Amino acid sequence: MHLKSLTVRGFKSFASATTFEFEPGVTAVVGPNGSGKSNVVDALSWVMGEQGAKTLRGGKMEDVIFAGTSGRPPLGRAHVSLTIDNSDGALPIDYSEVTIARTLFRTGGSEYAINGAGCRLLDIQELLSDSGLGREMHVIVGQGQLDKVLHATPEDRRGFIEEAAGILKHRRRKEKRSANLKPCRPTSHGSATSPAKSGGSSRPGQAGGSRAAGPDGPVRGPRRAVPPARRRPGPAAVCPGPGRGRRDRTESQTRRRRTGT
């Protein structure tokens, strides 16, 4: 398996459609400074699924689209297609040649395709990861990446080894499946219940919205609130008027004298 051709149009400095033919062996791209040699490597990384604008030496992903010159207007999209010779069957697909393509529009939309059929970015990543290719397989070593590998921490080195061993694809699938699982809380009966349905709701006419448990099982009917006990009215208090307090004391003394107390 080897790269057969690369077609670039509207990507960075390549305003017109440009095709690079690769033969088995070593291919060198030679040119003066500023001629776009690094843009060829960026196009390879971009068509294989690179999502970081800084990795492509830009501020945002829209910067990869041809911005125009004094003699040519800017373009509305960038398109890169990569053709891979799969005569040895290294890629898990029934084609002797596999062409992957990526298109980015200035409005923000993007398209991916495998042999002209639309697909997802995940499909391209899984297809290339089975053969050791891909944007995270370190098959493309850019400027400054060697220094990053030499000064990497043990955790980063472990990541490099796992990516080279092809474990990254399975980890990505595990994270995707874990994200699809919804958290649930087990109930006292052993069944899982969603948190939104586990709480009780109060209804009009119920005290507290809970259900009482009887000897034969839970009571389904609502409990009626017990009305407060009625209090008997006592003797009304009478405010004494002017002179009334003296008469009351005199009558009380007379009663005590009659009873001898």
Side-chain angles (χ1 to χ4, degrees), residues 65-75 106:
I65 304 176
F66 179 72
T69 60
S70 58
R72 299 195 61 171
L75 299 180
R106 194 172 291 276

PDB file of all heavy atoms in Angstrom, residues 65-75 106:
ATOM      1  N   ILE A  65      -8.932  27.812   3.508  1.00  0.00           N
ATOM      2  CA  ILE A  65      -9.526  28.136   2.214  1.00  0.00           C
ATOM      3  C   ILE A  65      -8.740  29.283   1.579  1.00  0.00           C
ATOM      4  O   ILE A  65      -8.322  30.233   2.264  1.00  0.00           O
ATOM      5  CB  ILE A  65     -11.006  28.515   2.369  1.00  0.00           C
ATOM      6  CG1 ILE A  65     -11.770  27.381   3.066  1.00  0.00           C
ATOM      7  CG2 ILE A  65     -11.643  28.804   1.020  1.00  0.00           C
ATOM      8  CD1 ILE A  65     -13.229  27.703   3.353  1.00  0.00           C
ATOM      9  N   PHE A  66      -8.525  29.198   0.280  1.00  0.00           N
ATOM     10  CA  PHE A  66      -7.758  30.211  -0.451  1.00  0.00           C
ATOM     11  C   PHE A  66      -8.382  31.588  -0.213  1.00  0.00           C
ATOM     12  O   PHE A  66      -9.549  31.838  -0.509  1.00  0.00           O
ATOM     13  CB  PHE A  66      -7.760  29.877  -1.942  1.00  0.00           C
ATOM     14  CG  PHE A  66      -7.014  30.863  -2.785  1.00  0.00           C
ATOM     15  CD1 PHE A  66      -5.635  30.935  -2.752  1.00  0.00           C
ATOM     16  CD2 PHE A  66      -7.704  31.733  -3.624  1.00  0.00           C
ATOM     17  CE1 PHE A  66      -4.954  31.852  -3.531  1.00  0.00           C
ATOM     18  CE2 PHE A  66      -7.041  32.649  -4.408  1.00  0.00           C
ATOM     19  CZ  PHE A  66      -5.650  32.700  -4.364  1.00  0.00           C
ATOM     20  N   ALA A  67      -7.545  32.497   0.338  1.00  0.00           N
ATOM     21  CA  ALA A  67      -8.029  33.821   0.752  1.00  0.00           C
ATOM     22  C   ALA A  67      -7.996  34.854  -0.359  1.00  0.00           C
ATOM     23  O   ALA A  67      -8.495  35.967  -0.166  1.00  0.00           O
ATOM     24  CB  ALA A  67      -7.213  34.324   1.944  1.00  0.00           C
ATOM     25  N   GLY A  68      -7.421  34.507  -1.506  1.00  0.00           N
ATOM     26  CA  GLY A  68      -7.389  35.453  -2.619  1.00  0.00           C
ATOM     27  C   GLY A  68      -6.104  36.270  -2.656  1.00  0.00           C
ATOM     28  O   GLY A  68      -5.375  36.386  -1.673  1.00  0.00           O
ATOM     29  N   THR A  69      -5.831  36.830  -3.825  1.00  0.00           N
ATOM     30  CA  THR A  69      -4.667  37.676  -4.041  1.00  0.00           C
ATOM     31  C   THR A  69      -5.116  38.933  -4.778  1.00  0.00           C
ATOM     32  O   THR A  69      -6.307  39.157  -4.993  1.00  0.00           O
ATOM     33  CB  THR A  69      -3.589  36.928  -4.852  1.00  0.00           C
ATOM     34  OG1 THR A  69      -4.143  36.552  -6.131  1.00  0.00           O
ATOM     35  CG2 THR A  69      -3.126  35.678  -4.122  1.00  0.00           C
ATOM     36  N   SER A  70      -4.135  39.721  -5.148  1.00  0.00           N
ATOM     37  CA  SER A  70      -4.470  40.944  -5.891  1.00  0.00           C
ATOM     38  C   SER A  70      -5.021  40.639  -7.284  1.00  0.00           C
ATOM     39  O   SER A  70      -5.767  41.442  -7.849  1.00  0.00           O
ATOM     40  CB  SER A  70      -3.220  41.833  -6.014  1.00  0.00           C
ATOM     41  OG  SER A  70      -2.167  41.129  -6.665  1.00  0.00           O
ATOM     42  N   GLY A  71      -4.697  39.472  -7.804  1.00  0.00           N
ATOM     43  CA  GLY A  71      -5.162  39.119  -9.142  1.00  0.00           C
ATOM     44  C   GLY A  71      -6.262  38.079  -9.173  1.00  0.00           C
ATOM     45  O   GLY A  71      -6.877  37.873 -10.229  1.00  0.00           O
ATOM     46  N   ARG A  72      -6.548  37.423  -8.009  1.00  0.00           N
ATOM     47  CA  ARG A  72      -7.576  36.384  -7.983  1.00  0.00           C
ATOM     48  C   ARG A  72      -8.465  36.582  -6.770  1.00  0.00           C
ATOM     49  O   ARG A  72      -7.968  36.868  -5.661  1.00  0.00           O
ATOM     50  CB  ARG A  72      -6.956  34.984  -7.951  1.00  0.00           C
ATOM     51  CG  ARG A  72      -6.092  34.665  -9.167  1.00  0.00           C
ATOM     52  CD  ARG A  72      -5.801  33.197  -9.275  1.00  0.00           C
ATOM     53  NE  ARG A  72      -7.043  32.428  -9.436  1.00  0.00           N
ATOM     54  CZ  ARG A  72      -7.051  31.120  -9.729  1.00  0.00           C
ATOM     55  NH1 ARG A  72      -5.905  30.454  -9.868  1.00  0.00           N
ATOM     56  NH2 ARG A  72      -8.191  30.479  -9.868  1.00  0.00           N
ATOM     57  N   PRO A  73      -9.758  36.445  -6.937  1.00  0.00           N
ATOM     58  CA  PRO A  73     -10.668  36.599  -5.793  1.00  0.00           C
ATOM     59  C   PRO A  73     -10.598  35.388  -4.879  1.00  0.00           C
ATOM     60  O   PRO A  73     -10.165  34.305  -5.285  1.00  0.00           O
ATOM     61  CB  PRO A  73     -12.047  36.729  -6.461  1.00  0.00           C
ATOM     62  CG  PRO A  73     -11.907  35.957  -7.741  1.00  0.00           C
ATOM     63  CD  PRO A  73     -10.483  36.161  -8.191  1.00  0.00           C
ATOM     64  N   PRO A  74     -11.037  35.511  -3.625  1.00  0.00           N
ATOM     65  CA  PRO A  74     -11.047  34.350  -2.719  1.00  0.00           C
ATOM     66  C   PRO A  74     -12.077  33.314  -3.164  1.00  0.00           C
ATOM     67  O   PRO A  74     -13.074  33.641  -3.807  1.00  0.00           O
ATOM     68  CB  PRO A  74     -11.403  34.965  -1.358  1.00  0.00           C
ATOM     69  CG  PRO A  74     -12.114  36.237  -1.688  1.00  0.00           C
ATOM     70  CD  PRO A  74     -11.493  36.746  -2.950  1.00  0.00           C
ATOM     71  N   LEU A  75     -11.792  32.076  -2.806  1.00  0.00           N
ATOM     72  CA  LEU A  75     -12.688  30.981  -3.155  1.00  0.00           C
ATOM     73  C   LEU A  75     -13.636  30.681  -1.993  1.00  0.00           C
ATOM     74  O   LEU A  75     -13.391  31.064  -0.842  1.00  0.00           O
ATOM     75  CB  LEU A  75     -11.893  29.727  -3.528  1.00  0.00           C
ATOM     76  CG  LEU A  75     -10.956  29.868  -4.732  1.00  0.00           C
ATOM     77  CD1 LEU A  75     -10.234  28.551  -4.985  1.00  0.00           C
ATOM     78  CD2 LEU A  75     -11.729  30.309  -5.971  1.00  0.00           C
ATOM     79  N   ARG A 106     -16.860  27.879   3.040  1.00  0.00           N
ATOM     80  CA  ARG A 106     -16.607  29.072   3.832  1.00  0.00           C
ATOM     81  C   ARG A 106     -17.754  29.355   4.795  1.00  0.00           C
ATOM     82  O   ARG A 106     -17.575  30.057   5.804  1.00  0.00           O
ATOM     83  CB  ARG A 106     -16.375  30.278   2.908  1.00  0.00           C
ATOM     84  CG  ARG A 106     -15.771  31.487   3.607  1.00  0.00           C
ATOM     85  CD  ARG A 106     -15.388  32.563   2.611  1.00  0.00           C
ATOM     86  NE  ARG A 106     -14.265  32.145   1.779  1.00  0.00           N
ATOM     87  CZ  ARG A 106     -12.988  32.258   2.144  1.00  0.00           C
ATOM     88  NH1 ARG A 106     -12.686  32.755   3.342  1.00  0.00           N
ATOM     89  NH2 ARG A 106     -12.027  31.878   1.334  1.00  0.00           N
TER      90      ARG A 106
END
